[in-house]
């Protein structure tokens, strides 16, 4: 037994004797030296050893027999002896599939063209800190457990924001505040799906949606997309939920025309299915007016509208919402409670004030102008200098562009690997697909300053030609 200087000696004795018992070096019934003998051996005070022994007895590791001595407890040994290595525990097989959460850590290089990354450098952090401080000071109001559905002030602010930005006519009672869209999808999967229930999603599409459905043990079925979005005629007949991004199909960027939207709504009514409409980045529209949402066209209460503030503000905020038909609200409240009770109340209050003061709209307008300049610069270089290798897919909104390879045999995976070595990180279309797809690239420009677009595209050109 070796003692280290600095740490409390009684604690060191406790830890070392406990570890010897847990590891099996001291077995049930083994006798320990008396406190006097051990103190003499270690050169410490007897009272220090007595404190450690008392602690071990209180925890149940040791027992003392009057007039005989101190021994390792048989009960503790029986419990500890039954401990199995961590590798003996097995998770549900659904969590062992060949996937992992995306690595969204900072790129060790100059160019980050991944999707879904906004530019947070221009976010009004001083204003946000003031609103957070104000909310934190109201501890009597926001320091207690809250309604799982979300603070009423935030739900009302979201309702007003969606009425102005997307023309949604909704009540605040239909809004459920979530920790981002991902939690909204997970809660909806819990409420609407069950083991073996079929959930359909766009392919290529947003992979985390599929993961949320699979986590609910549903059967997630990919449905092909074309230039007009999800191909309704290819939906499985037994689907009970359909996830779509009609205003700006992810990742290809198409807009679902009105006829296709009505076709999807009619299909959902015939098949008694729900539709999740993810309007994930249409706050950033550049060259065309927004299309009318499925939610606004819905007359049967089958559309659930979800969104977040990850793109308009910052991903780390982790606040989102879903607008649900009245019949689902109570189930969503209960699912939210069972998951994490409620989202942080101070953040909710600060966000409500940020919206009501007009700060969100102001920030969106400013960033829309800057993102438009980046998109135009990226599109121009793609069309003028990379058109021999890539055919850009037209897009009217969002923070990324997609492009098909001109050659069906293009090795886009090699392009991406070459680009990584040059400090440029980007995705292939296949990264978002389940079924085989034509070779293509997806280029995010949210986190890339306009002045850096030419250098990034030069690196991409070198990666393609290498």
């Amino acid at each position: 037994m070796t003692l280290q200087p600095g740490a409390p000696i009684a604690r060191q004795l406790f830890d070392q004797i406990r570890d010897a018992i847990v590891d099996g070096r001291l077995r049930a019934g083994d006798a320990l030296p008396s406190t006097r003998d051990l103190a003499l051996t270690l050169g410490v005070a007897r009272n220090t050893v007595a404190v450690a022994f008392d602690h071990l007895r209180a925890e149940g590791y040791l027992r003392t027999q009057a007039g005989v001595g101190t021994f390792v407890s048989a009960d503790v040994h029986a419990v500890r002896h039954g401990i199995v290595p961590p590798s003996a525990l097995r998770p549900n097989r659904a969590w062992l599939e060949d996937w992992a959460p995306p690595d969204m850590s900072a790129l060790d290089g100059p160019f980050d063209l991944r999707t879904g990354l906004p530019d947070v450098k221009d976010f009004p952090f001083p204003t946000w800190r003031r609103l957070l401080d104000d909310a934190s000071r109201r501890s009597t109001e926001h320091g207690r457990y809250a309604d799982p559905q979300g603070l009423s002030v935030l739900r009302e602010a979201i309702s007003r924001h969606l009425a102005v930005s997307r023309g949604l006519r909704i009540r605040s009672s239909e809004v459920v505040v979530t920790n981002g869209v991902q939690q909204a999808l997970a809660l909806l999967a819990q409420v609407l799906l069950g083991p073996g229930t079929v959930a359909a999603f766009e392919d290529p599409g947003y992979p985390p949606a599929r993961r949320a459905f699979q986590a609910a043990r549903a059967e997630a079925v990919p449905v092909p997309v074309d230039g007009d979005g999800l191909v309704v005629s290819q939906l499985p007949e037994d689907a009970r939920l359909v996830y779509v991004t009609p205003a700006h199909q992810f990742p290809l960027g198409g807009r679902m025309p009105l006829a296709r939207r009505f076709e999807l709504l009619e299909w959902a009514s015939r098949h008694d299915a729900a539709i999740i409409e993810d309007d994930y980045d249409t706050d950033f529209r550049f060259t065309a007016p927004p299309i009318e949402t499925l939610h606004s066209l819905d007359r049967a209460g089958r559309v659930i509208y979800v969104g977040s503030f990850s793109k308009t503000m910052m991903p780390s905020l982790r606040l989102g919402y879903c607008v649900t038909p009245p019949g689902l609200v109570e189930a969503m409240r209960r699912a939210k409670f069972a998951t994490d009770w409620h989202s942080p109340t101070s953040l909710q209050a600060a966000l409500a004030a940020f919206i009501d003061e007009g700060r969100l709209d102001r920030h969106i307008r400013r960033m829309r102008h800057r993102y438009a300049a980046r998109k135009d610069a990226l599109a121009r270089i793609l069309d003028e200098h990379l058109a021999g290798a890539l055919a850009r897919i037209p897009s009217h909104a969002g923070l990324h562009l997609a492009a098909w390879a001109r050659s069906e045999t293009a090795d886009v995976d090699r392009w991406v690997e070459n680009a990584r070595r040059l400090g440029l990180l980007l995705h292939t279309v296949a990264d978002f697909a389940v079924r085989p797809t034509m070779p293509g690239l997806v280029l995010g420009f949210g986190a890339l300053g306009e002045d850096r677009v030419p250098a990034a595209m030069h690196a991409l050109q070198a990666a393609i030609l290498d």
Side-chain angles (χ1 to χ4, degrees):
M1 187 174 292
T2 303
L3 300 177
Q4 303 295 327
I9 294 174
R11 182 69 209 191
Q12 293 187 60
L13 291 174
F14 172 87
D15 289 343
Q16 293 189 37
I17 295 172
R18 179 205 56 202
D19 290 347
I21 294 171
V22 171
D23 295 343
R25 288 175 283 133
L26 285 175
R27 297 172 296 179
D30 283 353
L32 270 70
S34 67
T35 56
R36 182 189 302 274
D37 290 344
L38 186 55
L40 288 172
T41 300
L42 297 175
V44 300
R46 180 182 180 185
N47 186 60
T48 300
V49 179
V51 169
F53 274 31
D54 288 345
H55 192 180
L56 288 160
R57 275 193 294 270
E59 292 286 350
Y61 291 105
L62 301 181
R63 62 178 178 82
T64 297
Q65 188 174 345
V68 179
T70 300
F71 305 89
V72 176
S73 171
D75 292 338
V76 170
H77 179 75
V79 173
R80 294 292 172 176
H81 189 69
I83 286 181
V84 294
S87 60
L89 297 177
R90 292 289 184 266
N92 184 291
R93 285 182 297 176
W95 300 106
L96 294 176
E97 293 182 354
D98 186 22
W99 70 276
D103 179 10
M104 302 304 288
S105 58
L107 170 66
D108 184 18
F111 308 117
D112 195 342
L113 273 69
R114 291 175 293 180
T115 62
L117 295 178
D119 189 344
V120 299
K121 296 191 298 297
D122 292 320
F123 184 74
F125 284 105
T127 298
W128 180 245
R129 281 192 292 269
R130 172 180 63 80
L131 296 175
L132 276 178
D133 288 343
D134 291 345
S136 298
R137 278 194 292 270
R138 298 197 298 273
S139 57
T140 55
E141 181 181 354
H142 303 306
R144 302 175 181 176
Y145 290 115
D147 185 346
Q149 190 174 348
L151 296 184
S152 60
V153 291
L154 178 56
R155 291 189 283 109
E156 290 164 2
I158 290 172
S159 300
R160 289 190 292 270
H161 172 68
L162 293 177
V164 173
S165 66
R166 296 299 279 125
L168 266 62
R169 293 178 293 177
I170 58 175
R171 303 181 184 91
S172 62
S173 59
E174 300 171 40
V175 178
V176 178
V177 177
T178 61
N179 295 337
V181 164
Q182 191 60 26
Q183 187 181 57
L185 296 177
L187 296 177
L188 289 167
Q190 292 178 45
V191 167
L192 294 172
L193 303 176
T197 308
V198 174
F201 61 93
E202 299 164 324
D203 187 36
Y206 182 58
R210 172 163 54 104
R211 304 306 180 193
F213 305 149
Q214 291 171 329
R217 301 192 181 186
E219 181 184 355
V221 177
V223 179
V225 299
D226 59 18
D228 291 336
L230 180 133
V231 181
V232 177
S233 62
Q234 296 296 310
L235 281 166
E237 292 293 316
D238 54 350
R240 289 296 168 261
L241 186 151
V242 182
Y243 171 84
V244 289
T245 54
H248 183 228
Q249 199 280 325
F250 184 87
L252 300 182
R255 288 156 51 98
M256 184 179 285
L258 185 62
R260 180 76 62 90
R261 278 173 276 154
F262 275 124
E263 182 186 6
L264 177 57
L265 289 169
E266 292 168 2
W267 185 96
S269 293
R270 290 198 312 271
H271 293 80
D272 191 24
I275 300 171
I276 298 178
E277 179 180 17
D278 188 349
D279 207 16
Y280 66 100
D281 65 359
T282 51
D283 281 306
F284 300 117
R285 301 178 297 274
F286 307 121
T287 58
I291 66 170
E292 192 171 10
T293 65
L294 285 168
H295 188 278
S296 297
L297 298 172
D298 179 27
R299 296 296 180 267
R302 295 195 172 277
V303 177
I304 303 152
Y305 183 93
V306 300
S308 80
F309 301 92
S310 295
K311 311 291 188 304
T312 53
M313 293 177 65
M314 49 187 163
S316 61
L317 181 62
R318 304 312 306 142
L319 282 178
Y321 53 86
C322 59
V323 180
T324 67
L328 288 182
V329 171
E330 182 56 29
M332 288 292 288
R333 287 184 72 250
R334 297 180 184 188
K336 173 68 174 173
F337 171 80
T339 301
D340 62 359
W341 200 316
H342 59 76
S343 299
T345 52
S346 292
L347 284 178
Q348 292 188 59
L351 178 55
F354 192 76
I355 296 172
D356 286 340
E357 290 184 5
R359 306 284 182 174
L360 177 62
D361 287 339
R362 194 176 310 162
H363 181 61
I364 289 173
R365 288 195 300 270
R366 180 171 61 249
M367 297 310 299
R368 185 184 296 134
H369 176 75
R370 295 181 183 178
Y371 289 142
R374 298 174 192 183
K375 172 184 176 292
D376 291 345
L378 186 65
R380 184 172 58 254
I381 295 175
L382 282 172
D383 294 344
E384 293 178 359
H385 300 287
L386 290 169
L390 293 168
R392 178 172 61 87
I393 302 172
S395 178
H396 304 285
L399 303 182
H400 70 269
L401 291 173
W404 295 119
R406 294 286 185 183
S407 171
E408 294 184 0
T409 60
D411 189 354
V412 292
D413 290 326
R414 181 178 61 82
W415 296 356
V416 169
E417 185 55 37
N418 291 343
R420 183 187 296 272
R421 289 196 293 269
L422 296 172
L424 187 153
L425 193 62
L426 69 160
H427 296 289
T428 68
V429 173
D431 290 337
F432 306 102
V434 175
R435 296 170 175 168
T437 183
M438 294 188 300
L441 298 179
V442 182
L443 311 172
F445 53 82
L448 187 68
E450 183 184 357
D451 60 334
R452 303 174 69 193
V453 171
M457 291 299 94
H458 180 75
L460 177 59
Q461 185 176 34
I464 291 173
L465 296 176
D466 186 1

